[in-house]
Amino acid sequence: MITTSLLDFLSELKENNQKDWFTEHKKEYQAHLGTMKELFNELQVKLNQTDQIDAHKIYRIYRDVRFSKDKTPYKTWFSGYFSRVKPQLRGGYFLHIENNNSMVGGGFYGPNKDDLKRIRQEFEFGADEMRGIINDPVFVKNFGTLQGDEVKTAPKGFSKEDPAIDLIRKKQFIAIRKFSNEEVLSPTFQDEIISTFQALRPFFDYMTDVLTTDLNGESVL
């Protein structure tokens, strides 16, 4: 469903990121946005065959420049996410389409204070299960390593000598797979998106179990 003309439009927008150009090409943008909406709708249907998706959202192309040094008015990509049914299920899937910089993945971009503490406590208790998931060949093949911002040493209340300090330091837990333009334009790209999302499920299932129970394994829902 992704076309060369869609990627070309994003590339041209990057070179002409100004209101006059965008206004002149508004109908072209709306056509490509329609393509993305159709893709997201189809992906949600397919995801719901093996998961429970509550909703999806495509981000607005208009940038918030109030607090940014970059005053260009438009994003030069299409992106959005799929949210799982909460509070029973945790984690979210992400899709980003950009000329020569497309990616698929998901995870936990901004866990709240309580969730982050609970995750860190679980790693402190034992990280073997988590390591087994992120070192699994399927995870490694799709995503390489777990990514995300982290503190420099140890969070307050945790020892920097903890064997799981590499995981405890993290503030985000994100898995990303990059795609070339050739892969994005392939007829099998939609299937690759779904298989990439499915590769996240063991990670999501683990984090769901952690975030819906206390340290004694009792449900908090």
Side-chain angles (χ1 to χ4, degrees), residues 2 6-7 10 36 77-78 95-99 102 184 189:
I2 304 298
L6 185 149
L7 296 178
L10 294 175
M36 294 304 301
W77 58 81
F78 287 108
L95 172 62
H96 176 106
I97 300 298
E98 181 179 2
N99 186 44
S102 296
V184 169
F189 181 52

Side-chain angles (χ1 to χ4, degrees), residues 155-172:
K156 185 178 179 179
F158 295 88
S159 170
K160 64 181 180 180
E161 306 300 329
D162 193 293
I165 191 60
D166 58 314
L167 295 172
I168 292 171
R169 279 202 304 259
K170 289 189 176 298
K171 298 187 294 183
Q172 299 175 313

Side-chain angles (χ1 to χ4, degrees), residues 52-94:
Q52 297 178 57
I53 303 302
D54 180 50
H56 69 258
K57 179 178 180 179
I58 298 176
Y59 293 113
R60 289 165 51 87
I61 200 166
Y62 307 98
R63 296 183 62 251
D64 184 351
V65 301
R66 291 175 299 172
F67 308 106
S68 175
K69 292 182 180 180
D70 180 2
K71 298 301 182 181
T72 52
Y74 307 105
K75 300 172 186 174
T76 56
W77 58 81
F78 287 108
S79 63
Y81 68 90
F82 302 86
S83 57
R84 305 175 80 208
V85 174
K86 294 181 179 178
Q88 297 89 346
L89 303 175
R90 300 299 182 92
Y93 303 101
F94 178 75

Side-chain angles (χ1 to χ4, degrees), residues 25-217:
H25 294 81
K26 188 70 174 287
K27 288 185 178 180
E28 188 178 353
Y29 159 71
Q30 290 173 334
H32 294 315
L33 177 61
T35 296
M36 294 304 301
K37 288 180 176 179
E38 186 176 351
L39 175 60
F40 269 76
N41 287 335
E42 292 182 2
L43 288 172
Q44 179 163 338
V45 171
K46 290 188 175 182
L47 269 173
N48 270 323
Q49 294 175 5
T50 56
D51 204 341
Q52 297 178 57
I53 303 302
D54 180 50
H56 69 258
K57 179 178 180 179
I58 298 176
Y59 293 113
R60 289 165 51 87
I61 200 166
Y62 307 98
R63 296 183 62 251
D64 184 351
V65 301
R66 291 175 299 172
F67 308 106
S68 175
K69 292 182 180 180
D70 180 2
K71 298 301 182 181
T72 52
Y74 307 105
K75 300 172 186 174
T76 56
W77 58 81
F78 287 108
S79 63
Y81 68 90
F82 302 86
S83 57
R84 305 175 80 208
V85 174
K86 294 181 179 178
Q88 297 89 346
L89 303 175
R90 300 299 182 92
Y93 303 101
F94 178 75
L95 172 62
H96 176 106
I97 300 298
E98 181 179 2
N99 186 44
N100 293 315
N101 191 38
S102 296
M103 61 191 78
V104 174
F108 301 80
Y109 289 81
N112 63 47
K113 182 179 178 181
D114 291 338
D115 281 355
L116 185 56
K117 182 179 180 181
R118 176 67 184 89
I119 293 168
R120 286 170 168 168
Q121 288 175 329
E122 188 69 22
F123 294 154
E124 184 180 44
F125 180 76
D128 288 350
E129 186 174 354
M130 180 62 165
R131 293 197 191 282
I133 291 169
I134 62 178
N135 291 326
D136 183 273
V138 174
F139 188 95
V140 174
K141 178 182 178 182
N142 279 275
F143 311 110
T145 60
L146 193 65
Q147 301 181 42
D149 293 341
E150 56 185 47
V151 299
K152 292 183 178 180
T153 55
K156 185 178 179 179
F158 295 88
S159 170
K160 64 181 180 180
E161 306 300 329
D162 193 293
I165 191 60
D166 58 314
L167 295 172
I168 292 171
R169 279 202 304 259
K170 289 189 176 298
K171 298 187 294 183
Q172 299 175 313
F173 306 88
I174 305 167
I176 295 174
R177 178 183 175 186
K178 294 289 189 72
F179 285 85
S180 67
N181 281 3
E182 182 180 1
E183 290 171 318
V184 169
L185 296 172
S186 168
T188 64
F189 181 52
Q190 192 172 133
D191 292 335
E192 287 296 320
I193 296 173
I194 294 298
S195 68
T196 305
F197 286 160
Q198 289 174 338
L200 283 169
R201 279 296 299 280
F203 170 49
F204 283 177
D205 291 345
Y206 169 81
M207 295 291 261
T208 293
D209 184 58
V210 170
L211 293 172
T212 58
T213 61
D214 60 22
L215 284 171
N216 294 317

